[in-house]
Amino acid sequence: MSAISVDLNKCQGYANCVVAAPHVFDLSEDGKVLTLIDDVDAADREAVADAVAACPAGALTLEGS
C-alpha cells in the first residue's frame, strides 16, 4: 500500500485533488486539504496519483509502493 503525505503549509485550497479523487480528498473548513483515507490501495492509486499531479501548489505526495 501507499500513503498520502500532505504539506498543509503549501496547500492553497485549489481543490484539484478533490476533483480528481473526491472519495479520497476533501477540504476542511479553513480551505485546506483533508485526506479521507490513510492508506491508498491499488484500486485508488491511479486516482490519487492524478490528484497529486494536479496539485498546482505541490502540497501532495504519494509515498510507498
Side-chain angles (χ1 to χ4, degrees):
M1 286 208 197
S2 302
I4 304 164
S5 176
V6 177
D7 185 339
L8 292 176
N9 292 320
K10 289 183 178 180
C11 180
Q12 298 297 308
Y14 292 109
N16 293 13
C17 55
V18 178
V19 172
H23 60 289
V24 178
F25 299 101
D26 200 356
L27 292 182
S28 67
E29 289 183 14
D30 66 351
K32 301 286 185 169
V33 65
L34 290 173
T35 54
L36 304 176
I37 62 173
D38 293 323
D39 295 313
V40 180
D41 60 23
D44 291 325
R45 186 165 174 78
E46 185 176 349
V48 172
D50 289 345
V52 169
C55 181
L60 303 172
T61 306
L62 183 59
E63 301 174 344
S65 55

